[in-house]
Amino acid sequence: MEQLIENKLIKADKAFSEWRKVPFEDRQKLIAKAAEILKNNSEKFGTIITQEMNKPISESVAEVEKCALMMNYYADAENILKPEKIDSEFSYSEVHYVPKGVILGVMPWNFPFWQVLRFAVPAILAGNTVVLKHASICFGSGNAIEEVLLEAGFPEGIFQNLEVSHKEVKGILEHDAVKGVSLTGSGKAGGEVASIAGLNIKKSLLELGGSDAFIVLDHGDLDEAAKAGVKSRLQNCGQTCTAAKRFIIDEKIEDAFLPIFIEEYKKYEVGDPMDKETKIAGMARPDLADELEKQFQKALEHGAEIILPLERISENEFIPGLIRVKEGNPILQEELFGPLGMVMIAKSDEEALKMANDIPFGLSNSVWTKDQSRQLFFIENLESGTVNINRMTSSDPRFPFGGSKASGYGTELSLLALREFVTARTVVGNYE
């Protein structure tokens, strides 16, 4: 390991020894200051995001503003880490929540500020320090986040951006100073990092891929469902783990819904990412576009039918595509990370549920119907960390976020996230 990285890990560990003693409320004040800096400079930081990974500037600015919103949530949050008194016959009868130490964040390029801060803020508020391994194309975002926290008054060493490659993650995670890891990324990356953490008996949190179902039934608002469905599929050029990727349509409304949906889909025209009117721009890297094109061809080879062709117009830009897919197509077992959606037709609620659940992933799903009994059927039976009723998936600081099955484990956001990287210490006994 390079001496520079070694020094930063030691610095993070030393900072932890003091940071853990800082009162919860004082940590919150610094988070509130950082949120204000982000909000007041959302255009500046949004530009960094767009320049690094091609997200439309309006979405980049919104991402920064959402980070500020989330940080203000934690700045005002109840301290659920106070010692808890337990009724017993003992004089000492408490549970203390003790921060673990230095936590490594391995974060992706698709939401360069949000993914990092979503993990880091509750971890830091709980008394830990953080070192970040960001995606290689987003080192600028990582450095900007570090600068914001320092400007807000956080002591040096509380949050440090490490400009390292994925090959160096193993050595960092194995370092004695590092006590846990949070990764957002692919299943392959998650499995590798979790294996290293497991071998070294260190806590891991994984937020991995998804292939969310967007289920549209009769007795739903078809116009609203079409608009929300297309936005969910194509925002961030379809490069979102919780994007709607499989549109499961009740056959009774197929003829009514699909024309509305297709018309809405066509409104997303590729434009300059720095133009505030642009809804969709290029993918983050040409190799990602290559992979999506291969998946499109694979789907067609196994019987998928083209509704709207996926047309590549540059090394990283596509006219968005839409295909009709039947059960059994192997593409359904993969995640499509780009502007390509899949349509499936269901004959019943039971068949729609089977289609929705018959994949390796379990991140989030959306169901559109005004029938409450049908809503409850899907709420109780969908295999995902989140179920949305008559709305598209969007994370909210107030609610827990996490997946099931191959979509990972652990909780981000909400008060529950404060307890992800702490040890519940039992204190029990008598004064004498």
Side-chain angles (χ1 to χ4, degrees):
M1 182 183 298
E2 291 184 11
Q3 191 60 46
L4 177 62
I5 303 303
E6 172 80 17
N7 292 342
K8 287 193 173 187
L9 296 180
I10 293 172
K11 184 177 182 178
D13 196 31
K14 288 181 178 178
F16 167 68
S17 65
E18 296 300 322
W19 181 247
R20 62 180 297 181
K21 301 173 188 175
V22 174
F24 188 88
E25 293 74 17
D26 289 346
R27 297 178 202 149
Q28 287 183 303
K29 291 175 184 177
L30 294 175
I31 290 171
K33 288 181 181 178
E36 184 178 8
I37 293 169
L38 283 177
K39 186 175 181 180
N40 291 340
N41 295 276
S42 60
E43 293 276 348
K44 169 187 171 182
F45 296 124
T47 299
I48 293 174
I49 293 172
T50 296
Q51 289 174 339
E52 288 189 318
M53 52 75 63
N54 292 322
K55 181 179 296 185
I57 187 65
S58 60
E59 292 185 13
S60 297
V61 171
E63 177 180 338
V64 176
E65 292 174 345
K66 185 174 181 178
C67 289
L69 178 71
M70 176 270 295
M71 294 170 78
N72 281 323
Y73 166 81
Y74 283 108
D76 296 330
E78 174 191 356
N79 183 2
I80 65 167
L81 302 179
K82 292 179 180 178
E84 291 183 12
K85 302 286 186 180
I86 307 296
D87 289 337
S88 76
E89 70 275 22
F90 300 104
S91 303
Y92 285 109
S93 188
E94 300 175 346
V95 177
H96 294 197
Y97 295 97
V98 183
K100 289 186 176 295
V102 183
I103 309 299
L104 169 64
V106 182
M107 295 293 138
W109 46 262
N110 58 337
F111 290 89
F113 272 61
W114 172 250
Q115 303 281 20
V116 172
L117 289 166
R118 184 176 71 179
F119 140 69
V121 169
I124 289 171
L125 181 55
N128 302 290
T129 58
V130 165
V131 290
L132 169 67
K133 187 275 178 250
H134 214 323
S136 59
I137 63 172
C138 293
F139 287 161
S141 291
N143 288 329
I145 293 169
E146 182 175 350
E147 290 167 7
V148 166
L149 297 182
L150 289 172
E151 184 181 341
F154 282 87
E156 290 190 7
I158 303 303
F159 178 98
Q160 296 177 89
N161 181 47
L162 311 179
E163 294 191 10
V164 297
S165 72
H166 68 277
K167 295 178 181 178
E168 294 171 273
V169 169
K170 182 176 184 292
I172 294 170
L173 185 49
E174 289 176 338
H175 195 281
D176 288 343
V178 176
K179 299 299 188 286
V181 59
S182 177
L183 177 142
T184 297
S186 68
K188 182 177 183 292
E192 291 172 354
V193 167
S195 296
I196 299 167
L199 286 171
N200 289 274
I201 320 300
K202 296 182 180 183
K203 172 68 183 289
S204 61
L205 185 157
L206 304 180
E207 196 273 277
L208 308 178
S211 187
D212 293 4
F214 193 96
I215 304 168
V216 185
L217 308 174
D218 54 328
H219 304 300
D221 186 329
L222 301 190
D223 289 328
E224 188 63 28
K227 290 178 182 178
V230 174
K231 181 178 180 181
S232 181
R233 172 65 286 204
L234 297 181
Q235 68 177 356
N236 200 21
C237 199
Q239 301 166 119
T240 306
C241 56
T242 57
K245 298 184 174 83
R246 297 173 300 133
F247 296 90
I248 301 174
I249 314 302
D250 188 321
E251 68 171 2
K252 292 188 289 294
I253 58 165
E254 176 184 356
D255 292 340
F257 177 74
L258 276 182
I260 303 171
F261 184 64
I262 292 168
E263 192 62 30
E264 189 68 27
Y265 215 85
K266 291 178 178 178
K267 292 179 182 178
Y268 281 68
E269 297 180 354
V270 178
D272 178 359
M274 294 304 297
D275 185 337
K276 291 185 178 181
E277 299 302 315
T278 294
K279 288 186 175 182
I280 187 170
M283 295 182 68
R285 300 193 311 260
D287 63 301
L288 299 169
D290 292 342
E291 179 60 28
L292 183 69
E293 206 165 36
K294 290 176 184 176
Q295 289 178 299
F296 176 57
Q297 293 302 323
K298 179 179 179 178
L300 297 182
E301 289 167 5
H302 288 86
E305 301 173 6
I306 295 175
I307 299 174
L308 293 172
L310 180 73
E311 297 183 52
R312 193 166 185 174
I313 56 177
S314 76
E315 65 174 9
N316 69 331
E317 294 174 318
F318 290 100
I319 296 174
L322 197 60
I323 53 178
R324 185 188 298 262
V325 179
K326 294 182 180 179
E327 287 185 276
N329 194 315
I331 201 65
L332 291 166
Q333 304 303 306
E334 302 178 11
E335 180 178 26
L336 296 181
F337 220 62
L340 176 63
M342 297 177 283
V343 171
M344 305 178 75
I345 306 301
K347 296 179 181 178
S348 65
D349 289 3
E350 289 74 19
E351 185 175 51
L353 177 69
K354 180 177 179 296
M355 289 176 175
N357 286 340
D358 191 23
I359 59 168
F361 308 103
L363 197 52
S364 182
N365 292 300
S366 183
V367 181
W368 291 74
T369 179
K370 296 177 182 177
D371 187 319
Q372 290 191 0
S373 64
R374 298 171 83 184
Q375 293 171 4
L376 289 173
F377 170 74
F378 285 98
I379 289 170
E380 292 171 355
N381 293 290
L382 281 169
E383 298 170 351
S384 57
T386 300
V387 178
N388 300 275
I389 304 298
N390 296 320
R391 69 185 295 271
M392 61 175 274
T393 296
S394 61
S395 52
D396 184 311
R398 299 170 296 176
F399 305 124
F401 181 85
S404 63
K405 302 195 289 187
S407 290
Y409 51 75
T411 299
E412 294 186 305
L413 300 179
S414 81
L415 294 180
L416 294 178
L418 292 171
R419 290 183 176 170
E420 278 295 325
F421 290 103
V422 298
T423 298
R425 175 186 292 167
T426 296
V427 180
V428 62
N430 294 307
Y431 298 140
E432 298 178 356

